[in-house]
């Protein structure tokens, strides 16, 4: 019981980059990227920001849900690429969309961020604190990737996805989430160094580091574990699940997870070829595509699952 998604939206930058465009910057090829990761292109901002895309996706989700911004009592933005330290992206979105009655905050759980935001809303709903949440995953990863590292710069893209979630006692819901900070260095990036009257540090120019194989192995192990636990906890069979909406990092991860779960690949929608890895934005962008393509029917059971930096994971069972 407790959470139902009633509207979704997405926002992508105007500008996109193909694999051939990237091959002009680093030593890579369309063939390598397509066969190893499944990506054909990704959107990269020129004029958009994390905040502008978050607000755009939010307004679309609000319209899709048919709610007023004034009815929203909680806004959570999941992001690792906020434009400002303060105000939070969520507070800036609150201002842009006029959601005066909401409590707004950001959450950093990298690629699991949107699902962890959904799970956070679920907990608030269960506690009876809030009833209508705007949940957003928004990223401008192009700000933080190392554009000289072919191992990472070909993977990521910019974008935002949003959902309106409402408290609803009549639906089945469940969550599983966790972190393994001990192995966190597999996906690593420094923040601002200390610079004060006592300590002087150079600002280093290096971007995001990823031990791709370590993260790959982690992903194909943790996602089936989350799915099995959700099914067990909620006493349902995998055959009851219509779609597994997984974080879009690599089409090979999704295929391996499908195989390990013994589930048909058709139940695992994929859009990584169009957007690349948009971190916390990938799950809500995919959900919005499914919703707007009319692929979700009232009563459908769906499992959402994010995994990545932290290392972290979050999965939710929801009923449409
Ligand atoms: O969103 C957060 C979660 N992230 C993930 O889930 C990502 C998980 N990891 C992966 O998806 C994969 O590990 C990658 C796509 C990142 C890499 O694929 P891989 O099959 O693990 O490749 P690799 O890192 O083992 O590299 C294989 C080879 C290396 O060359 P050598 O040493 O065999 O000569 C790399 O230098 O491919 C080379 N390589 C490239 N070649 C052409 C690495 N990147 C590229 C590139 N173009 N862009």
């Amino acid at each position: 019981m407790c959470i139902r998604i009633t509207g979704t939206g997405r926002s992508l930058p105007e500008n996109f980059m193909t694999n051939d465009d990237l091959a002009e910057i680093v030593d890579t090829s369309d063939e390598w990227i397509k066969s190893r990761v499944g990506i054909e292109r990704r959107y990269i901002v020129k004029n958009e920001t994390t905040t502008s895309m978050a607000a755009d996706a939010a307004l679309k989700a609000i319209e899709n849900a048919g709610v007023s911004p004034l009815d929203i009592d909680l806004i959570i933005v999941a992001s690792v690429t906020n434009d400002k330290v303060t105000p939070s992206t969520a507070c800036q979105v609150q201002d842009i969309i006029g959601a005066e009655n909401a409590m707004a905050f950001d959450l950093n759980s990298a690629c699991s961020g949107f699902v962890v935001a959904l799970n956070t809303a679920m907990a608030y709903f269960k506690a009876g604190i809030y009833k209508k949440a705007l949940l957003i995953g928004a990223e401008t990863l192009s700000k933080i990737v190392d554009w000289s590292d072919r191992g990472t710069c070909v993977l990521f893209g910019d974008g935002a996805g949003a959902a309106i979630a409402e408290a609803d006692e009549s639906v089945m819901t469940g969550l599983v989430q966790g972190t393994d900070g001990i192995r966190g260095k597999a996906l690593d990036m420094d923040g601002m160094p200390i610079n004060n009257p006592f300590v002087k540090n150079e600002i280093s120019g290096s971007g995001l580091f990823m031990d791709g194989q370590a993260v790959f192995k982690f992903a194909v192990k943790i996602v089936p574990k989350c799915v099995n636990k959700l099914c067990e906890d909620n006493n349902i069979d995998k055959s009851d699940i219509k779609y597994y909406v997984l974080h879009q990092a690599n089409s090979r991860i999704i295929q391996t997870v499908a195989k390990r779960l013994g589930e048909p690949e058709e139940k695992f929608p994929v859009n990584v070829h169009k957007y690349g890895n948009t971190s916390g934005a990938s799950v809500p962008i995919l959900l919005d595509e499914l919703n707007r393509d009319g692929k979700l029917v009232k009563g459908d059971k769906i499992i959402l699952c994010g995994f990545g930096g932290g290392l972290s994971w979050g999965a939710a069972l929801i009923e449409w």
Side-chain angles (χ1 to χ4, degrees), residues 26-29 32-33 36-37 111 150-152 154-156 187 210-217 219 247-250 252-253 277 279 307-309:
V26 287
D27 180 16
T28 190
S29 66
W32 191 95
I33 302 172
R36 294 281 180 134
V37 208
C111 307
R150 68 176 181 171
T152 49
V154 305
L155 305 174
F156 296 98
L187 232 168
M210 181 165 73
D211 177 347
Q213 289 196 4
V215 181
F216 191 105
K217 284 180 195 149
H247 168 47
Q248 303 286 300
N250 185 331
R252 284 192 297 131
I253 292 179
N277 177 344
S279 186
F307 51 86

